[in-house]
Amino acid sequence: LLMQGMGQVAFFVDKVLKPLGAVTDGSQFLEPDGLFPNHIPNPEDKAAMEAITQAVLNNKADLGIIFDTDVDRSAAVDSSGRELNRNRLIALMSAIVLEEHPGTTVVTDSVTSDGLTVFIEKKLGGKHHRFKRGYKNVIDEAIRLNSTGEESHLAMETSGHGALKENHWLDDGAYMMVKLLNKLAGARTLNPNIGSKVLTDLAEGLEEAAVTVEIRLKIDQNHADLKGGSFRDYGESILKHLESVISKDPNLHKAPKNHEGVRVSGYGGWFLLRLSLHDPVLPLNIEAQSKGDAIKLGLAVLAASSEFSALDTTALNTFLQQ
């Protein structure tokens, strides 16, 4: 097993993994350093994931694990160098939890994929409850569902945050990784040469988009079009207009259940346009099976927002013209 991170990660290696008999040779960047000299301490960071992937391959490790500084976010890399993060990590954790609690509800943030819904509900027999962004929102929603009688044992955000009912809903990346390690260790007692294939196989069948992008559309708060109003009111007007435009397009279909922004499926993919919690920004997430289909989805958003002159669509135009 290889570990990568800062802060409390050295504790996890020395006090958890080594006493259990894990070989952790090749682990890196374990010493705390607030200047972060190696890479951004973020399991979503491209450089960070490339570093742990290369270390796994160089050391022929069974599994690589990466944490952020306070170990509440995590991701993994299997023995072939395949990243286990975002939708893929949620799929993997869902498979483990649904083995233990058949039919349970998995709560996620708003930007998880349509493929993840199909995987959880059609392959695993669970229920996918897509909620709002923000790990606290996701966890609180899982707690609420349980209080209403709907069993939920897992709450995860695509950022790598995750919590389990059995762990008292603590936002604990180390506990999440221990669940993976338990599965891996159990399989290795039966077959010492299995590597991390047992984990990879659990996520087999997850449909993943070829194109995934997030584009941030900024609202100019000083623009005359706001007429002295708040950026939140302006953003909500854009979303309301987008809903109206989508309802008239036979190629696009608004999600029947949606708790944040406007989520739409079409052209073999989907997009979500939502209003940032604190900033004058409308983040746009697009997933599709081809760049051409992603462009079609982006064009639909562009057309619906064209009359809102305080919205800066430069980033969207750049994506469409690439």
Side-chain angles (χ1 to χ4, degrees), residues 137-157:
N137 288 330
V138 173
I139 292 171
D140 286 349
E141 180 67 0
I143 294 171
R144 186 192 70 79
L145 290 179
N146 279 287
S147 72
T148 66
E150 181 175 342
E151 183 187 80
S152 176
H153 284 269
L154 176 65
M156 285 195 72
E157 197 182 27

Side-chain angles (χ1 to χ4, degrees), residues 96-218:
I96 292 172
V97 170
L98 276 156
E99 281 185 354
E100 301 168 348
H101 306 282
T104 197
T105 294
V106 177
V107 181
T108 73
D109 62 334
S110 59
V111 299
T112 47
S113 68
D114 287 351
L116 181 65
T117 302
V118 172
F119 182 79
I120 291 173
E121 299 190 346
K122 303 299 183 184
K123 180 170 182 178
L124 301 180
K127 182 179 177 182
H128 183 196
H129 182 89
R130 189 183 287 113
F131 196 56
K132 300 177 182 179
R133 292 219 73 174
Y135 73 91
K136 192 173 187 307
N137 288 330
V138 173
I139 292 171
D140 286 349
E141 180 67 0
I143 294 171
R144 186 192 70 79
L145 290 179
N146 279 287
S147 72
T148 66
E150 181 175 342
E151 183 187 80
S152 176
H153 284 269
L154 176 65
M156 285 195 72
E157 197 182 27
T158 48
S159 63
H161 284 287
L164 291 129
K165 183 180 181 181
E166 68 185 55
N167 193 35
H168 310 288
W169 297 116
L170 295 176
D171 182 32
D172 187 346
Y175 194 90
M176 302 291 286
M177 291 299 105
V178 167
K179 294 287 284 188
L180 299 191
L181 293 173
N182 282 343
K183 194 70 180 176
L184 178 58
R188 284 194 58 123
T189 60
L190 301 175
N191 179 2
N193 300 315
I194 196 170
S196 57
K197 187 175 185 298
V198 62
L199 300 181
T200 305
D201 286 351
L202 282 174
E204 191 66 35
L206 173 67
E207 298 175 7
E208 299 186 82
V211 179
T212 302
V213 64
E214 179 171 294
I215 301 165
R216 295 174 66 80
L217 308 178
K218 298 179 180 180

Side-chain angles (χ1 to χ4, degrees), residues 59-97:
N59 291 275
K60 296 182 172 58
D62 292 312
L63 190 70
I65 296 173
I66 179 172
F67 293 128
D68 67 349
T69 50
D70 55 354
V71 198
D72 58 5
R73 285 190 296 159
S74 56
V77 175
D78 72 12
S79 54
S80 70
R82 187 186 193 203
E83 295 178 1
L84 302 173
N85 58 359
R86 299 185 63 78
N87 287 288
R88 202 177 292 162
L89 181 58
I90 298 173
L92 178 52
M93 288 301 306
S94 297
I96 292 172
V97 170

Side-chain angles (χ1 to χ4, degrees), residues 208-213 215 249 251-252 264-271 284-301 316 319-320 322:
E208 299 186 82
V211 179
T212 302
V213 64
I215 301 165
D249 189 333
N251 296 307
L252 301 172
V264 174
S265 296
Y267 302 109
W270 61 272
F271 72 76
L284 171 64
N285 293 84
I286 300 175
E287 287 195 5
Q289 292 305 324
S290 71
K291 181 63 182 292
D293 288 336
I295 286 175
K296 291 174 184 175
L297 294 169
L299 285 171
V301 175
L316 178 56
F319 170 73
L320 296 173
Q322 285 178 345

